[in-house]
Amino acid sequence: MSVSKLSCNFCSTKLEGEFATCKFCQLPDDQREFIEVFIKCRGNIKDVEKELGISYPTVRNRLDGVIEFLGYRVEKNDPGEDRKQEILAALEKGEITPGEAAEQLRRSGK
């Protein structure tokens, strides 16, 4: 899809032609909303987690999706690292005890 008409709401001037849009304008709504929150949180993943109520791996996956949509290559992380971050986030939120976190980290290291 391309932009073919621009209009001024103030003076009613109209321009017709072929107009390019930026990469961010082409993002799907959910990715654009994610990026707005990400920027508002100054890229702090913990703040994005809190604001959106999602886990660290979900934030990373959404960010990777945006990066790929914009045409850049994403280096995939070790899946074990995402699991560790998930466990630490649950510990920080008080969802699990330190002992449970230690046990889960031991099991995820295998």
Side-chain angles (χ1 to χ4, degrees):
M1 187 175 281
S2 65
V3 177
S4 60
K5 185 176 180 180
L6 297 173
S7 311
C8 175
N9 293 332
F10 181 72
C11 69
S12 298
T13 299
K14 293 178 178 30
L15 295 173
E16 291 191 31
E18 292 294 319
F19 303 100
T21 59
C22 74
K23 289 180 179 183
F24 292 98
C25 296
Q26 297 169 17
L27 286 169
D29 290 344
D30 61 327
Q31 287 185 332
R32 197 169 46 251
E33 290 165 8
F34 171 80
I35 289 301
E36 286 182 39
V37 171
F38 187 82
I39 291 169
K40 183 178 113 186
C41 293
R42 298 176 182 213
N44 184 308
I45 291 181
K46 287 188 182 273
D47 291 344
V48 175
E49 283 180 73
K50 288 176 189 170
E51 176 129 355
L52 296 177
I54 58 178
S55 68
Y56 174 88
T58 303
V59 173
R60 290 290 306 264
N61 288 336
R62 288 191 185 179
L63 185 57
D64 287 350
V66 170
I67 292 167
E68 288 174 340
F69 186 92
L70 294 174
Y72 301 102
R73 198 173 109 243
V74 173
E75 305 235 354
K76 298 296 179 187
N77 283 346
D78 172 13
E81 184 59 33
D82 284 343
R83 178 68 184 134
K84 288 176 190 174
Q85 291 298 327
E86 212 170 55
I87 294 166
L88 294 174
L91 175 62
E92 187 176 297
K93 293 175 187 173
E95 296 171 354
I96 59 175
T97 67
E100 292 169 324
E103 178 59 29
Q104 289 182 27
L105 287 169
R106 266 192 295 280
R107 280 188 275 139
S108 71
K110 291 183 179 180

